[in-house]
Amino acid sequence: MLRLVSVVGARPNFMKIAPLIAEMRRRPDNIEPILIHTGQHYDESMNDSFFRDLNIPMPDLNLEVGSGTHAEQTGKIMIELERPLDRLEPDWVIVVGDVNSTMAGALVASKLNIKVAHVEAGLRSRDRTMPEEINRIVTDAIADLLLTPSPDANENLFREGIPPAKIQFVGNIMIDTLYRSLERARQSDLLRRMGLEPGAFCVMTLHRPSNVDHRETLAGILDAVRAIQQEITVVFPIHPRTRARLDEFGLSDFAAAMPGLVLTEPLGYIDFLSLYSNSRLVLTDSGGIQEETTALAIPCLTLRDTTERPITVTQGTNRLVGSDPERIKLEAFAVLKAGQPRTEIPELWDGKTAARIVDAIEQRS
Ligand code: UD1
C-alpha cells in the first residue's frame, strides 16, 4: 500500500489536485491518499467554493497558516507541516504548481527523506522577481520526480542539469479538470444572473504583485480598461490582494464609475469557466488562465512581459502585452476586430494527465 500525501494551499492548486485525488481514490487497493491544506488561502471565495465545485474531499489536516510576508508564510507552513509529515511517514509527498505552499511542502518532505513528486515541473518565466519563479526553481531542484506539462519544461530541466531519469512528460493536469467541468459550466446560470450575452463581453483578472502593488501600474491598466469598456463590457472578478490595493491607492471609485466595467467578487471554478468560455477576450496576469483559454480557443492577452507557459503563445491564443496602457488598448482593439483565433491544443493536454501521474508514481515506488 502506497501512502501518498498531497499538499495544497492556494486557489490555483485546487484544480490541479482535484483530478489526482479522484484518480488515487480509484485505486484503493494500492493507494492511501491523504490531503493536507496549508491554509494559505482561506476566504470562502478563494477556497471553500473550489472544494465544493471540484468535489475535493475535506482535507485530512488544515494547517491554517493564513497570510503573511513570504518568509512568514513559507516558514509557518514548514514548521506546521514537519511534525504531521514525520508522523505520517508517507511514501511520497505530491506538490503542485508554484505557490509558497508548493515550495514549503517540497522542502519539508525532502529534509525528512520523503520522496517528492512535483506536478507542473519545469516551467520557467526567467523572471526571478516573480515569487513563483523562485518557488519553481527550488521545488524542481529538490524533487525526486518532475512531472512536466509540456516539452519546453523538459528542456528547461535538462538545461538546469536535472537527471533525465527524474523527468516525465505527463501533460497538463489543469486540462483534466477543465474538460471534466465543461458540461456543468454550460448549465451555469451565471450569464443570465449577470445580464451578459455570450460573446459580448471581455473578462479581466489581475493579481500579480508586479501589476497591482504599484499605484502607477495599476492606474495605467485601469486607464486602458476605461477605453475598452466604452466598446465592450469588461467583467472583472477581483482578487482580495487587488481589492485591497484599489482601496489603498484610492482607485476604487475610479473603477466603480466606469459604466461598462462590471466588478464582482472572485468567482467559483464553474462560474468562472462559464464566464470566460463565453467571452470575446480575456485580459489576465494569471498563469493557469493562459492555458485554459488556449484549450478553449478564447483569445488571451497576458498583462506581463514574460510567461512560464510559452506554448500558449507558440501554439495557442495567448499574446504577451505587458502593462503599458497604450499597448493593452491597441492589442485589445485588434483582437476585438479580428475573427475567431486559431489554436492548437498542445500535446497531452488530453484530460488523461492524472492517470499518467499516478501510474508514474506507482511505477517508481
Ligand atoms: C498566491 C500565489 C500566486 C497565485 C495566487 C492565486 C504565492 C507566492 N503566490 O498569490 O502564485 O497566482 O495565489 O490567487 O504563493 N488574501 C485574502 N484571502 C485569502 C487569501 C489571500 O484576503 O483567502 C489576501 C491577503 O491580504 C493576502 C493577499 O491576499 O495577504 C495575498 O495572498 P497570498 O497567498 O500571499 O498571495 P496571492 O497574491 O493570493
Side-chain angles (χ1 to χ4, degrees), residues 90 124 261 267 365:
R124 295 290 181 272
L261 179 62
L267 297 173
S365 299

Side-chain angles (χ1 to χ4, degrees), residues 175-188:
I175 306 303
D176 286 26
T177 302
L178 178 65
Y179 290 164
R180 265 168 229 183
S181 309
L182 278 173
E183 190 45 47
R184 279 164 67 214
R186 272 186 213 114
Q187 288 161 18
S188 161

